[in-house]
Amino acid sequence: MNNGGLLVAGTTSDAGKSVVTAGICRWLVRQGVKVAPFKAQNMSLNSFVTREGAEIGRAQAMQAQACRVEPTALMNPVLLKPGGEQSSQVVLLGKPVGELSARGYHGGRQQKLLGTVLDCLAELRGTYDAVICEGAGSPAEINLRRTDIVNMGIARNAGLPVLVVGDIDRGGVFASFFGTVALLSPEDQTLVAGFLVNKFRGDVSLLEPGLDMLHGLTGRQTYGVLPFRHGLGIDEEDGLRVSLRGTVRESNTAPPVGDDVLRVAVCAIPLMSNFTDVDALAAEPGVVVRFVDRPEELADADLVIVPGTRGTVRALEWLHERGLAEALRRRAAEGRPVLGVCGGFQILGEHIEDEVESRRGRVEGLGVLPLRVRFAPEKILTRPEGTALGERAEGYEIHHGVAEVTGGEPFLDGCRVGQTWGTHWHGSLESDGFRRAFLREVAAAAGRRFVPAPDTSFAALREEQLDRLGDLIEQHADTDALWRLIESGAPQGLPFIPPGAPA
């Protein structure tokens, strides 16, 4: 017998589905409910490795943390990792199974995965009291409805009630709510229980007449109005849509401990993956993180990071095109700190043999670290632990590139030469002691009087953010009505809103 469930859909991409799902999960677990997250299909360059060595979206790993459970492949059975404008790597139950064009995927492959997706959801619903599912994009994407396995396709097959989230900060939320329902078939509409307004600024009483009219037009209630809150940075779903200028997060961090701040510049390379690696730096008092795409923006940086990417050779070409490649070589020669992570680590090496990702064969790297990289068909997915700079560190690896390190000093699984560092480990900077030791080295090399805060706990900051999301739901949603929805499904007798989906 399946237990309770809910699908959190959105009027658009980035409406707040991931945040709302995490908030509902944290609210439920604080009520003593055994809950799990689920997203049938995720398109994201930000991924995570579970304990069993499966690759899933980072958003679902974050939601599992909100549930206080260990993430598993069941929670995100299909992950699509874009490799360009036209194709993506398909990761099924945590393992890559091939590359497909968008036409090839939506033309038949996607629908064939429905059985697998439903089996995963059923297993979770048989194990947990409730499963909170996240949709993708909008459920009213009528061109994709026939093969949909993540929005109304999963809701219909699993009998899930649907809550539609709208970002009122963008404007047009009433039209978006109404239009979303009105573009669904009568059968789909019976599962759309109501709405949740996200990112509202101002006096809710001024919004209430509109909500009453929306109820009159659709027969569906609004389950809450969540206020706009700064500093709710959580793991983003898709790096392709991230603003690459300005700070990574709007974090309310403490003032610097030392006399100086430390400036970190992250090269905004194409198909950037797991840019969440720098979140732990951004949360550190006195560390300023920004994304850059011009060589002159490296001039005042105390540390430059070349992050991971799903297109290592393409990113290397981009660095040359922008003049950043030569700027990085110059920094390394001058003994100014550079850190390469995963694809960025490979780029800093001598050469890359790639017959897997770009299929470009041998390509010369920047030559600032003594390593050679060969891309293997099998993807490496591990959760390593070790010691560096006298501190324990742990991370996760997601890469096809196999590195042969031929010199330098050991650094995690990679190496360092002078002040140029490289590793395949994502997430290592989340280890507090290691992060502080690394920042002390960077500050000394940069000549900055920067002192890492002695008590910053990145894990505690994550927990605080998840609790704030739970607070939003508890304080600003109709939690009694929300629980009835999760437990009993969509209300009976919801009216049909014409015209409905096209034939």
Side-chain angles (χ1 to χ4, degrees):
M1 174 182 156
N2 285 332
N3 291 323
L6 174 70
L7 176 70
V8 178
T11 55
T12 62
S13 296
D14 298 327
K17 297 183 291 292
S18 295
V19 168
V20 169
T21 300
I24 293 174
C25 287
R26 178 49 61 101
W27 161 65
L28 285 172
V29 81
R30 293 195 308 206
Q31 309 309 306
V33 178
K34 187 181 177 185
V35 60
F38 179 79
K39 185 162 185 174
Q41 171 195 293
N42 198 345
M43 177 172 277
S44 179
L45 288 169
N46 283 333
S47 58
F48 183 74
V49 179
T50 67
R51 291 288 178 195
E52 71 268 28
E55 185 179 9
I56 65 172
R58 274 200 70 103
Q60 279 59 66
M62 173 273 298
Q63 291 161 357
Q65 186 176 349
C67 297
R68 297 183 178 137
V69 298
E70 191 69 33
T72 73
L74 293 174
M75 297 170 184
N76 179 207
V78 182
L79 173 64
L80 305 178
K81 301 194 74 175
E85 295 296 322
Q86 299 296 328
S87 67
S88 293
Q89 183 180 65
V90 181
V91 179
L92 179 62
L93 293 175
K95 304 296 181 184
V97 294
E99 296 273 340
L100 275 180
S101 67
R103 180 177 292 275
Y105 183 70
H106 291 288
R109 174 65 168 165
Q110 182 184 36
Q111 200 168 27
K112 291 177 182 177
L113 297 174
L114 179 60
T116 300
V117 162
L118 290 172
D119 288 346
C120 292
L121 177 57
E123 187 171 341
L124 288 173
R125 294 184 78 185
T127 305
Y128 292 87
D129 300 329
V131 178
I132 308 303
C133 307
E134 180 188 343
S138 161
E141 290 169 350
I142 53 179
N143 57 315
L144 302 177
R145 176 62 184 92
R146 183 178 61 84
T147 58
D148 171 52
I149 65 168
V150 66
N151 290 307
M152 300 313 299
I154 195 82
R156 281 272 293 280
N157 279 279
L160 293 172
V162 178
L163 182 70
V164 180
V165 177
D167 180 353
I168 198 170
D169 198 48
R170 295 181 173 191
V173 75
F174 291 116
S176 298
F177 282 146
F178 184 88
T180 296
V181 179
L183 277 178
L184 299 178
S185 69
E187 295 81 5
D188 285 351
Q189 286 193 24
T190 61
L191 293 173
V192 179
F195 314 107
L196 187 78
V197 176
N198 191 29
K199 295 186 182 178
F200 179 72
R201 305 173 191 251
D203 186 343
V204 175
S205 66
L206 298 177
L207 188 66
E208 287 171 349
L211 300 178
D212 292 339
M213 286 185 272
L214 183 66
H215 183 270
L217 288 165
T218 66
R220 290 158 173 85
Q221 74 176 89
T222 297
Y223 284 77
V225 178
L226 306 186
F228 189 100
R229 289 286 187 266
H230 287 285
L232 288 178
I234 58 169
D235 293 352
E236 301 283 356
E237 179 179 271
D238 194 346
L240 291 175
R241 287 194 294 270
V242 169
S243 170
L244 299 180
R245 294 199 174 275
T247 56
V248 182
R249 295 284 184 264
E250 296 172 326
S251 301
N252 297 317
T253 54
V257 176
D259 294 329
D260 289 342
V261 298
L262 210 59
R263 294 171 176 82
V264 178
V266 184
C267 295
I269 56 180
L271 298 174
M272 181 170 48
S273 62
N274 288 63
F275 62 91
T276 47
D277 284 336
V278 300
D279 283 0
L281 296 180
E284 193 72 47
V287 176
V288 180
V289 179
R290 66 184 189 273
F291 290 103
V292 303
D293 57 9
R294 295 192 297 266
E296 58 268 27
E297 294 177 297
L298 305 188
D300 68 342
D302 302 307
L303 169 67
V304 174
I305 295 178
V306 187
T309 172
R310 249 285 279 158
T312 303
V313 171
R314 173 69 191 101
L316 180 56
E317 292 172 340
W318 182 88
L319 290 169
H320 281 292
E321 292 164 4
R322 294 279 177 150
L324 286 161
E326 188 52 42
L328 287 167
R329 284 195 184 110
R330 204 161 45 242
R331 279 188 70 93
E334 293 168 356
R336 302 180 65 198
V338 176
L339 171 65
V341 180
C342 200
F345 170 42
Q346 297 165 8
I347 284 168
L348 296 178
E350 295 168 4
H351 68 255
I352 298 165
E353 292 278 355
D354 182 11
E355 299 293 349
V356 175
E357 196 174 75
S358 69
R359 300 180 182 173
R360 294 281 296 279
R362 180 179 170 122
V363 177
E364 297 303 311
L366 298 187
V368 295
L369 284 178
L371 73 138
R372 299 157 190 160
V373 177
R374 177 184 55 82
F375 274 64
E378 190 73 18
K379 182 183 280 192
I380 295 170
L381 298 167
T382 63
R383 290 273 292 269
E385 299 180 9
T387 303
L389 303 179
E391 298 284 350
R392 292 288 299 168
E394 58 183 70
Y396 55 100
E397 295 186 46
I398 306 170
H399 54 95
H400 286 278
V402 179
E404 178 192 358
V405 177
T406 59
E409 300 175 46
F411 176 65
L412 301 176
D413 73 324
C415 64
R416 71 176 285 192
V417 173
Q419 291 300 319
T420 302
W421 316 66
T423 176
H424 274 129
W425 290 23
H426 294 289
S428 63
L429 293 168
E430 295 178 18
S431 300
D432 297 326
F434 168 71
R435 182 181 64 253
R436 293 181 195 120
F438 178 69
L439 290 175
R440 281 192 289 269
E441 289 252 358
V442 169
R448 297 287 186 189
R449 292 176 296 172
F450 168 84
V451 179
D455 55 356
T456 301
S457 166
F458 188 69
L461 289 172
R462 277 185 179 279
E463 278 295 302
E464 288 174 16
Q465 289 174 322
L466 292 170
D467 275 331
R468 291 179 69 194
L469 297 180
D471 292 343
L472 280 179
I473 298 298
E474 190 169 330
Q475 297 167 11
H476 300 283
D478 185 341
T479 52
D480 289 339
L482 198 56
W483 175 245
R484 286 194 298 273
L485 194 60
I486 294 167
E487 192 175 39
S488 305
Q492 297 296 306
L494 293 170
F496 170 70
I497 308 300

